Amino acid sequence: MHLVKRKDSQEKMGWRCPRKNCRKEITLRRGTYFEGSHLEIQVILRLLHLWSTKTLVGKAQDELQVSTQ
């Protein structure tokens, strides 16, 4: 799979199979907890980092400027 820029969806990046007879594409969020999220990928990655370091929810919300909803 190769990382490619997408033009046809909310997702700006995705993965594409490099084989000419396949060319299947999937998005970075597909099949994850964030599949229905409208958060930008950069925010999701920062959130995952904060979660992995056991940062408190309130501190993560303040740092990322997001709400619980």
Side-chain angles (χ1 to χ4, degrees):
M1 296 295 246
H2 293 281
L3 188 61
V4 294
K5 289 186 179 183
R6 297 175 50 93
K7 299 176 184 173
D8 62 336
S9 72
Q10 172 189 338
E11 293 285 338
K12 295 178 182 174
M13 302 295 286
W15 294 103
R16 179 184 299 151
C17 179
R19 295 181 303 184
K20 289 183 180 181
N21 62 341
C22 179
R23 305 305 265 180
K24 180 179 179 180
E25 285 191 25
I26 59 172
T27 65
L28 299 175
R29 300 173 199 231
R30 185 174 177 200
T32 71
Y33 181 79
F34 298 100
E35 187 168 357
S37 171
H38 295 287
L39 294 174
E40 294 179 3
I41 293 297
Q42 296 89 338
V43 173
I44 291 173
L45 292 174
R46 289 177 60 205
L47 177 61
L48 289 172
H49 175 261
L50 293 171
W51 174 80
S52 70
T53 59
K54 299 182 180 355
T55 302
L56 297 175
V57 173
K59 184 175 180 182
Q61 282 179 290
D62 290 342
E63 186 170 324
L64 298 174
Q65 298 177 349
V66 295
S67 69
T68 57
Q69 304 204 356

